Structures are given as C-alpha cells and as structure tokens.
Amino acid sequence: MNRREFLRIAAASGAAVAGGISNGALFGSYDQLESHARLAVVQNGLPAAMVQKAIEALGGIGRFVKRGDVVVVKPNIGWDRVPEQAATTNPEVVAEIVRLCLHAGASKVKVFDRTCNEPRRCYHRSQIEQLARQAGAEVSHIYEQKFKTAAIPNGQQLKSWPFYADALEADVYINVPIAKHHSLSRLTLGLKNTMGIIGGNRGQIHNHFDQKIVDLNTVIRPQLTIIDAVRILVNNGPQGGNLNDVKETKTIIASIDPVAADAYAATLFGLRPTELSFLVEAQKRGLGSFDFNQMKIEKIDLKA
C-alpha cells in the first residue's frame, strides 16, 4: 500500500489515521530489505557518483521506485545561499536522485521546499531549481492552499498539523537534507528537514522541539533518506554564510532508516547520537535505530 492508497482508504473510513496504523504497515518494515545494507556511506567521489553507489548499496533505486510512481525528492532549499556556503542541499546530489528515479520509471518527480528566505532567490541561488529541472524534475514553489491538516495519532506534543499535500500523497518520498549545524537543535539533518513540508507557524515547533519533531516524523516517513555531506556547515547554522564555517567531507549517507542516517551524520561533527535529544526520542518511539552494531553498514571509498 502506498501513501495515496492509504490516504484514500483513510478518507473513506475516517478510521485509519485515528486508529494509528503504523508506518511499518504502510511502507514495509526494515526486515524486508535487510538483505541489503541498512546504512550506506560513500566518500571521496563526485556528488553524482556517490549518490549512485549509496543507492546501489541499499539494493538499487528499483527497490524504492516503481514504474508510474509519483516521487517527491525533498531537499533543503531554505536559504538564500550558494552551494559553496553549505546551507542548502548540493544541487548535483538532488539532480542525480531525480535522474535515477526517472530512469526507474517514475512518472513524475517533484522537488519543492518551504523556504525561510525569499523563495525565488533560494531556488535560484541554491542552483537546485536549474539542475533539478534539467534532470527532469517538476520544480515548484509552495502554495498555501495545498496544506492539509493531518492527524498525528501517535503525537505526544502535537495531535494535528498542516502538511503539504504533495508530500502526503506521493508514492515515494525521498528526504535529501544537507548536514549542518543548527543553533537550537545542534544539528539539522533528515528528521528536521521535515519542517520544509509543514505549514503553520514553524516557530512553535522549537518549543519542546525533541518531541515535536518526532511527532511530525510519525506522519511523514521517507522510504529513503539521503544526507548530503559533500560539504557540511559546522558553525553558525542553519543559515551560515561564512566559508570559514564550511568543511568539505565528500560524503553521502543513505539509509532506509531515518534515525540511522541522522545518527551517522552526527559523527561527522564529532557528536555521538546520544548527544542529540531528538535522536534519542526518535529511537525510543520506534522511528529507527542508532545501534550501529545491530545493522548492516556498507562503507565505500571511491578514492581507494
């Protein structure tokens, strides 16, 4: 059952969301894919080549995207910054994911984000608009009328919140954050990238952030999380601006487990996953795991 089918059934019955059908039931459990790596880490290559290798290690794009699927690729386009400033997702990473999805038979690949700065400048200066479109994506700005209030039956702080309909209704949702410092949450990675598809007053999320960000992620569960760590912003995030705050790490992290992906990315900043309260909360509530000893990890060095 995909997201669109789920929403159709939920709308018809009015019971599925309220009854708390699990994401595992909707989108398959990790165990079904565990013959492949749960976490892939690729380093020291060009962005597109690292994306290709990371997805191959997880079983290939065909495991996630089927012919005719509508796919959402959700980067971070939040800031009026150029790629070298590492405040937005690397545009070459986004473009390669779009190409792979279309090659797998996706009928459409949508790329969008609710930006913090002026949207047209963010889309243009990040270069995501240009490269994603060249790769074949439908790149659009956010339309307020597309936000729909969704129930959060497993929420602890939030019981409902407006989500962008295109994200809720997609057959496949691929989360593509950049790894960077954040002044409030210490880091912004995959789980926090979900804030780019919610409406309302996002400032309210920062109060009781650890619980609220997990609440939101009980509704939106990506089939794939691909973290861009080609360059990481190590200070003055999330907006950055000073190239002295940027570190080149030439890394792509991909996983079917959003907690594992975020947890590994944290290590690039010298942090243990247990030092990020939102990851501890996410693991406690079953969104994934950062117990690296209990999962299959494939590390690939393209320089070797």
Side-chain angles (χ1 to χ4, degrees), residues 282-299:
Q283 178 172 257
K284 184 177 74 175
R285 290 166 63 181
L287 293 190
S289 171
F290 50 72
D291 186 351
F292 297 133
N293 293 322
Q294 298 299 316
M295 67 180 73
K296 185 177 179 181
I297 301 174
E298 185 164 345
K299 296 182 179 180

Side-chain angles (χ1 to χ4, degrees), residues 67-259:
R67 185 162 298 280
D69 280 350
V70 174
V71 180
V72 165
V73 173
K74 166 59 179 72
N76 184 328
I77 324 177
W79 304 99
D80 180 6
R81 298 293 189 213
V82 296
E84 290 77 10
Q85 292 170 307
T88 52
T89 304
N90 187 300
E92 296 177 56
V93 169
V94 178
E96 185 59 23
I97 297 168
V98 170
R99 278 191 286 269
L100 290 171
C101 291
L102 290 171
H103 184 72
S107 62
K108 186 179 295 184
V109 180
K110 299 181 179 183
V111 174
F112 51 80
D113 191 19
R114 185 184 175 196
T115 64
C116 299
N117 293 148
E118 203 280 322
R120 286 171 299 180
R121 288 189 61 83
C122 295
Y123 275 51
H124 175 70
R125 291 246 291 163
S126 68
Q127 299 180 25
I128 290 173
E129 181 174 39
Q130 177 188 355
L131 295 193
R133 277 196 176 138
Q134 287 176 356
E138 176 187 291
V139 182
S140 62
H141 293 280
I142 293 292
Y143 298 97
E144 288 297 324
Q145 62 269 31
K146 283 194 172 184
F147 285 107
K148 297 180 179 179
T149 299
I152 309 177
N154 296 316
Q156 294 191 355
Q157 291 286 333
L158 304 174
K159 291 302 179 184
S160 66
W161 198 267
F163 287 82
Y164 205 58
D166 286 6
L168 289 171
E169 296 169 0
D171 298 310
V172 181
Y173 182 81
I174 302 177
N175 196 17
V176 194
I178 183 170
K180 59 179 178 174
H181 170 260
H182 194 284
S183 56
L184 292 176
S185 58
R186 303 190 71 175
L187 297 180
T188 173
L189 302 162
L191 295 179
K192 194 173 186 308
N193 201 37
T194 299
M195 291 182 69
I197 58 164
I198 64 168
N201 181 355
R202 294 186 293 190
Q204 294 177 0
I205 302 300
H206 289 123
N207 178 23
H208 300 291
F209 173 79
D210 300 331
Q211 291 181 312
K212 288 181 179 177
I213 197 64
V214 174
D215 288 347
L216 295 172
N217 277 276
T218 64
V219 176
I220 290 291
R221 186 65 173 271
Q223 281 90 339
L224 266 176
T225 297
I226 301 173
I227 298 182
D228 160 32
V230 176
R231 306 180 188 91
I232 63 174
L233 183 65
V234 295
N235 288 303
N236 297 312
Q239 189 167 184
N242 189 335
L243 293 180
N244 291 328
D245 293 329
V246 176
K247 179 181 179 182
E248 189 176 56
T249 50
K250 293 185 178 180
T251 301
I252 292 291
I253 301 159
S255 183
I256 58 173
D257 178 336
V259 176

Side-chain angles (χ1 to χ4, degrees), residues 185-186 210-211 214 273-283:
S185 58
R186 303 190 71 175
D210 300 331
Q211 291 181 312
V214 174
T274 52
E275 294 180 88
L276 296 173
S277 299
F278 64 89
L279 286 182
V280 174
E281 179 73 14
Q283 178 172 257

